[in-house]
Amino acid sequence: MKHLHDILKPEKYKKIKFKVTKTQHLLIKARINGILGNFILDTGASSSCVGFESVAVFELDAKKSKTKASGAGATGMFTQVSVNNTLKLGRWNADNFMLVIFDLSHVNDALMEHKTKPVDGIIGADILMKGKAIIDYFNHCLYLQ
């Protein structure tokens, strides 16, 4: 029987490993504007985002936004946006990438309560859809085309 990787490779899919934390979050490494960070891979998040504290770290040009963010345990949160960024997940790249910036402290507080390291942000459905994502939960791999 063929492995998923063997089927997807000819279709130009890139294989990106992720880890599963003890809180059952999928943790993936990504480079934004060339700077490495830790992110939660979240199929339920509509947009990829970073916390306010990561604006300087990832060299983002933050602009005002009228959109309010909602997430697990929080609603109506003030946001900013940053456009024209680069994103790299393994060997997969996206240019002109937009990020939502908002307060991720509630997410990181919950992670730290479970003795899990905080994250820089979330990779959401915007990227998963753009990359025609296939998630292999058993082998802890994300495939993006």
Side-chain angles (χ1 to χ4, degrees), residues 2 7 10 20 25 36 58 65 85 99 109-110 117 123 137:
K2 276 194 165 188
I7 295 166
V20 180
H25 288 96
L36 188 64
F58 293 112
S65 171
N85 298 292
L99 278 166
D109 288 347
K117 291 181 182 177
I123 300 297
Y137 288 94

Side-chain angles (χ1 to χ4, degrees), residues 21-141:
T21 67
K22 56 182 147 185
T23 57
Q24 297 300 305
H25 288 96
L26 309 183
L27 189 66
I28 194 162
K29 294 200 179 288
R31 287 188 183 274
I32 295 177
N33 299 329
I35 298 140
L36 188 64
N38 292 310
F39 293 80
I40 291 174
L41 182 61
D42 187 349
T43 61
S46 57
S47 300
S48 297
C49 57
V50 297
F52 287 123
E53 65 281 351
S54 295
V55 170
V57 172
F58 293 112
E59 301 172 358
L60 304 176
D61 183 19
K63 305 281 187 207
K64 290 181 183 177
S65 171
K66 292 181 181 179
T67 304
K68 300 288 184 192
S70 298
T75 59
M77 295 182 290
F78 169 74
T79 65
Q80 294 180 315
V81 294
S82 178
V83 296
N84 297 323
N85 298 292
T86 60
L87 171 70
K88 188 170 183 177
L89 292 162
R91 292 181 295 122
W92 186 87
N93 297 299
D95 293 323
N96 300 320
F97 171 60
M98 186 193 84
L99 278 166
V100 174
I101 304 162
F102 75 108
D103 183 4
L104 277 178
S105 62
H106 67 288
V107 171
N108 282 324
D109 288 347
L111 291 172
M112 289 187 291
E113 271 186 39
H114 290 92
K115 303 206 182 333
T116 301
K117 291 181 182 177
V119 295
D120 298 300
I122 295 167
I123 300 297
D126 55 343
I127 291 302
L128 299 175
M129 290 171 51
K130 180 176 182 164
K132 300 178 184 174
I134 296 171
I135 301 174
D136 179 352
Y137 288 94
F138 183 76
N139 293 304
H140 300 175
C141 295

Side-chain angles (χ1 to χ4, degrees), residues 3-30:
H3 292 284
L4 184 58
H5 175 72
D6 297 330
I7 295 166
L8 296 175
K9 191 172 181 178
E11 299 298 320
K12 306 280 192 245
Y13 273 87
K14 307 287 194 263
K15 179 180 176 180
I16 304 118
K17 292 272 194 185
F18 61 79
K19 293 181 181 178
V20 180
T21 67
K22 56 182 147 185
T23 57
Q24 297 300 305
H25 288 96
L26 309 183
L27 189 66
I28 194 162
K29 294 200 179 288

